[in-house]
Amino acid sequence: MKRFGWIAAMLWLASPWALAADVEISNAWIKESIPGTENGAGYLTLTNVGTTAITLTGAATEAARAAEIHEHVMNDGMMRMRRVPELAIDVGETVIFRPGSFHVMMFGVKEPFQVGQEIGLELIFSDGDRKAVTAEVRAIE
């Protein structure tokens, strides 16, 4: 019986779950759609609660054709949006996705986002881990 327990422990340590990103995801929300637009933006808070740095490499959702991590940056006096291919999050660090900063950009939204809906998002990490979260659609303020 001891041998079985040792083998089971070794298999678990070699599994993808042992390497999964230790991240807490909270306050996930999406802006309601602006009439006539096909894109959307989602926001959330990520906290690395693990013992090693993690790297966010992408996002996905069934609600849109594509999703990417983006940020707003000031460039030549103009606010511009750019894709972020990798976002490193150090141990204990919290990154807040909010309007005018980091966000999940969704392209080709299949149906307009309406206040009160819940939309599934998936965050993708460099270790292959994927974390699912449900985001509530909120009114544009």
Side-chain angles (χ1 to χ4, degrees):
M1 192 66 165
K2 286 183 183 180
R3 184 178 200 160
F4 174 75
W6 182 82
I7 291 171
M10 293 306 291
L11 288 172
W12 183 84
L13 288 172
S15 73
W17 298 285
L19 302 173
D22 285 328
V23 62
E24 286 182 357
I25 305 168
S26 60
N27 196 31
W29 64 283
I30 294 173
K31 281 186 189 178
E32 71 180 314
S33 292
I34 298 170
T37 63
E38 295 181 6
N39 298 332
Y43 309 97
L44 46 89
T45 300
L46 294 175
T47 301
N48 181 348
V49 295
T51 57
T52 60
I54 58 174
T55 303
L56 179 65
T57 58
T61 180
E62 293 287 323
R65 175 182 45 78
E68 298 175 346
I69 306 303
H70 281 218
E71 73 175 322
H72 282 100
V73 293
M74 189 63 76
N75 189 354
D76 294 328
M78 293 196 60
M79 187 64 81
R80 299 183 190 272
M81 185 174 53
R82 72 173 182 188
R83 182 174 174 265
V84 177
E86 293 187 340
L87 177 59
I89 306 170
D90 288 328
V91 174
E93 182 180 6
T94 297
V95 178
I96 301 172
F97 285 46
R98 60 179 158 237
S101 183
F102 290 109
H103 56 281
V104 177
M105 188 71 202
M106 292 167 275
F107 300 98
V109 170
K110 295 175 182 175
E111 296 290 329
F113 297 137
Q114 297 179 14
V115 173
Q117 279 184 305
E118 291 187 341
I119 306 295
L121 294 174
E122 192 172 48
L123 301 180
I124 304 164
F125 296 87
S126 62
D127 64 1
D129 192 23
R130 298 169 85 92
K131 298 283 187 181
V133 63
T134 301
E136 177 188 4
V137 177
R138 297 181 186 168
I140 299 171
E141 296 179 10

